[in-house]
Amino acid sequence: MYGLVNRALQQLVCTHHGQRTWDSIRAKAGVADEVFVRMDSYPDEVTHRLVAAASEVLDTPADELLKAFGRNWVRYTMVEGYGALLSDLGPTLHDALAALNAMHARVALLYPALKPPSFRISGVTDDRISLHYHSERSGLAPMIIGLVEGLGERYALRVEVRHATAKGEGCDHDRFDIRILGRVDPVKDQPLA
Ligand code: HEM
């Protein structure tokens, strides 16, 4: 994955647990890079090893970390200068979920080696929507839950995200059933664990 992703993980850990903890995680993962270049592409293996090592060092399930990472991603990309892409997602959460492929297509103009996920929506009502997630990667489903929560936060909405169908259970993709529970004040900071 692009360095932008690994940088986001590094930033999240450093903010909540400090540089020393990150250095321990990096050492345990056997990752030599002290800095990730956001526009360089790194093997997915690097990200997976960092998440596994973070899970051990922080004594937190990897799924929880991926969820926290997803929640933080929307805010992180805004701070990193991708706010315009997020603003163009549209005025509602429904619009945003429907526009994720178009948004990643724009990201691919900047990051030519991007292997983006693919999304489709169904079952749309005022307060419900199903998100179908296709990827050549595996194991990232908890991250989608956090991503949708983080996106909801951007629209000042509290959402419930249920992982309704997992890839591999007779299905070639994951499905998430999303329910809008109500409006909230945007949260300033999210705990990592
Ligand atoms: C401006 C905001 C965003 C930017 C700049 C961005 C960019 C990226 C980048 C660079 C990757 C790494 C892919 C690779 O290296 O091959 C990625 C992956 C991913 N993005 Fe986005 N993204 C954004 C927002 C979102 C949002 C809002 C969602 C979903 C709600 C999302 C879902 C994903 C997922 C699930 C992956 C993992 C790849 C996979 O599943 O195969 N992204 N994105």
Side-chain angles (χ1 to χ4, degrees):
M1 291 220 226
Y2 270 104
L4 184 69
V5 173
N6 299 329
R7 282 176 77 99
L9 185 61
Q10 177 174 8
Q11 185 257 9
L12 190 59
V13 170
C14 286
T15 300
H16 294 277
H17 299 278
Q19 181 66 39
R20 274 196 186 173
T21 305
W22 176 253
D23 289 339
S24 313
I25 290 169
R26 215 165 42 78
K28 193 174 265 298
V31 173
D33 309 64
E34 286 181 31
V35 171
F36 295 102
V37 179
R38 63 183 186 168
M39 300 199 78
D40 278 1
S41 188
Y42 296 79
D44 282 7
E45 175 68 12
V46 170
T47 312
H48 289 303
R49 287 211 310 268
L50 287 169
V51 171
S55 170
E56 274 189 53
V57 171
L58 302 176
D59 194 20
T60 304
D63 285 5
E64 281 300 309
L65 294 179
L66 284 170
K67 206 169 144 187
F69 175 86
R71 274 201 304 267
N72 189 61
W73 180 249
V74 175
R75 204 165 328 128
Y76 179 79
T77 47
M78 271 177 68
V79 172
E80 286 291 303
Y82 302 94
L85 282 174
L86 289 166
S87 300
D88 285 350
L89 281 173
T92 70
L93 178 62
H94 282 51
D95 292 326
L97 293 170
L100 288 173
N101 292 347
M103 188 215 62
H104 279 105
R106 289 177 67 191
V107 174
L109 298 175
L110 297 167
Y111 295 81
L114 195 80
K115 288 188 267 172
S118 159
F119 294 97
R120 179 171 64 79
I121 56 171
S122 69
V124 178
T125 68
D126 281 353
D127 64 344
R128 288 176 193 265
I129 190 164
S130 291
L131 184 68
H132 301 255
Y133 161 61
H134 294 258
S135 171
E136 62 184 60
R137 302 180 169 102
S138 296
L140 297 177
M143 185 172 108
I144 314 301
I145 296 178
L147 278 163
V148 175
E149 288 175 354
L151 206 51
E153 186 187 310
R154 185 172 156 71
Y155 291 92
L157 294 174
R158 194 158 56 87
V159 295
E160 175 191 82
V161 187
R162 199 170 63 85
H163 190 191
T165 316
K167 184 164 79 170
E169 294 170 0
C171 191
D172 68 345
H173 69 280
D174 295 88
R175 191 185 94 224
F176 299 86
D177 290 346
I178 301 159
R179 191 153 72 99
I180 296 174
L181 301 176
R183 294 192 71 78
V184 286
D185 290 335
V187 181
K188 291 278 183 301
D189 198 16
Q190 289 282 355
L192 173 56

